[in-house]
């Protein structure tokens, strides 16, 4: 089980890098080519959501993306440091849009069959996974 971990400042310009790294690692892990766009989009949405929560809350911090090649699944975790209050009342700060967070999660839900969103003391963790093709596991 190999893990690649990426941490970046909660800035929009880093989301593209996270998408590119996720797609490259997913391809190497054996995720089917037909699913790579979904992986890329889901990671982009999860990272954009995390960045938005940080910015709306005026919080610095980092976004952590962990990419884990398990035996039969490829797991991605996107974790923010926005704190639990950012997740309880999205858009509560001036300028925030509560629908933006809901829309982002809806998009991710449409892209990922195996999805779990949890809130911790530091922030939220979005766990997503995709199957790894049998041919690449045997190789």
């Amino acid at each position: 089980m190999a893990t690649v971990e990426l941490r970046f400042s909660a800035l929009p310009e880093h989301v593209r890098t996270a998408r590119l790294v996720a797609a490259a690692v997913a391809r190497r892990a054996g995720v089917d080519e037909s699913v790579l766009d979904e992986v890329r989009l889901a990671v982009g949405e999860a990272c954009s959501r995390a960045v938005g929560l940080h910015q709306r809350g005026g919080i610095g911090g980092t976004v952590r993306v962990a990419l884990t090649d398990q035996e039969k699944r490829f797991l991605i975790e996107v974790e923010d440091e926005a704190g639990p209050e950012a997740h309880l009342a999205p858009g509560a700060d001036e300028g925030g849009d509560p629908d933006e967070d809901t829309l982002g999660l809806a998009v991710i839900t449409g892209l990922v069959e195996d999805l779990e969103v949890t809130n911790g003391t530091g922030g939220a963790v979005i766990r997503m996974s995709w199957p790894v093709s049998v041919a690449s596991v045997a190789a």
Side-chain angles (χ1 to χ4, degrees), residues 133-139:
S133 62
V134 178
S136 34
V137 171

Side-chain angles (χ1 to χ4, degrees), residues 8 12 15 19 43-53 56 78 100:
F8 61 90
V15 172
R19 283 194 311 253
V43 168
E45 285 296 327
C47 289
S48 293
R49 177 182 182 269
V51 167
L53 290 170
R56 284 195 306 265
V78 177
E100 183 179 320

Side-chain angles (χ1 to χ4, degrees), residues 68-111:
T68 305
D69 180 10
Q70 297 177 330
E71 189 175 326
K72 296 180 181 180
R73 306 281 304 166
F74 178 65
L75 173 69
I76 299 177
E77 293 182 352
V78 177
E79 182 177 4
D80 64 62
E81 296 177 349
E85 53 279 339
H87 302 283
L88 295 175
D93 297 305
E94 61 273 352
D97 182 2
D99 294 331
E100 183 179 320
D101 187 47
T102 305
L103 180 61
L105 286 175
V107 169
I108 296 168
T109 300
L111 294 168

Side-chain angles (χ1 to χ4, degrees), residues 8-73:
F8 61 90
S9 301
L11 298 170
E13 53 266 26
H14 298 306
V15 172
R16 181 173 188 267
T17 302
R19 283 194 311 253
L20 293 172
V21 170
V25 175
R27 178 178 285 117
R28 185 172 175 93
V31 173
D32 191 83
E33 287 287 327
S34 65
V35 181
L36 290 178
D37 282 339
E38 293 173 10
V39 171
R40 190 178 0 261
L41 288 169
V43 168
E45 285 296 327
C47 289
S48 293
R49 177 182 182 269
V51 167
L53 290 170
H54 279 251
Q55 290 187 334
R56 284 195 306 265
I59 302 162
T62 60
V63 176
R64 181 184 72 87
V65 181
L67 310 151
T68 305
D69 180 10
Q70 297 177 330
E71 189 175 326
K72 296 180 181 180
R73 306 281 304 166

